[in-house]
Amino acid sequence: MIAEAFDTFRTIALALTGWIIFGATIAATLLLAALATGAYGVRAVWRRTAGPSWQRGPIRARVYAARRTRRSTARTRPLWSHSQPLDYEEAA
């Protein structure tokens, strides 16, 4: 009878230990996710309150100025537009 009681206590203790470990794992995962989300939020708020990137330092201002003065590489007209007439009377 004492052996059965000890075996039952041991089984309940192992089950309880497993649930505690499972709960701690879930809690740690949620805590790390909350910390990462909070850090991302703090960084986003900090970047918005710090002003534009060119006001944060001389290096960023130089990079910003270099990007603004560079000629656009985007095509404004299609490649075939030079061979097409500008008026459409010939098409009629």
Side-chain angles (χ1 to χ4, degrees):
M1 191 155 195
I2 293 175
E4 290 176 359
F6 180 73
D7 187 42
T8 304
F9 175 74
R10 191 178 124 233
T11 303
I12 291 174
L14 283 174
L16 186 61
T17 304
W19 278 109
I20 289 172
I21 291 172
F22 177 74
T25 303
I26 298 296
T29 303
L30 292 176
L31 179 67
L32 288 175
L35 287 175
T37 304
Y40 179 79
V42 166
R43 179 177 175 232
V45 168
W46 173 259
R47 290 182 68 113
R48 291 203 187 270
T49 58
S53 66
W54 53 268
Q55 284 184 346
R56 290 188 214 138
I59 294 175
R60 289 186 184 214
R62 201 177 283 172
V63 169
Y64 179 79
R67 285 185 182 162
R68 292 295 150 225
T69 58
R70 218 179 289 153
R71 186 173 165 238
S72 174
T73 57
R75 293 194 310 249
T76 56
R77 293 182 0 182
L79 293 175
W80 49 263
S81 66
H82 67 279
S83 63
Q84 298 294 321
L86 296 177
D87 56 347
Y88 296 101
E89 294 175 3
E90 295 178 13

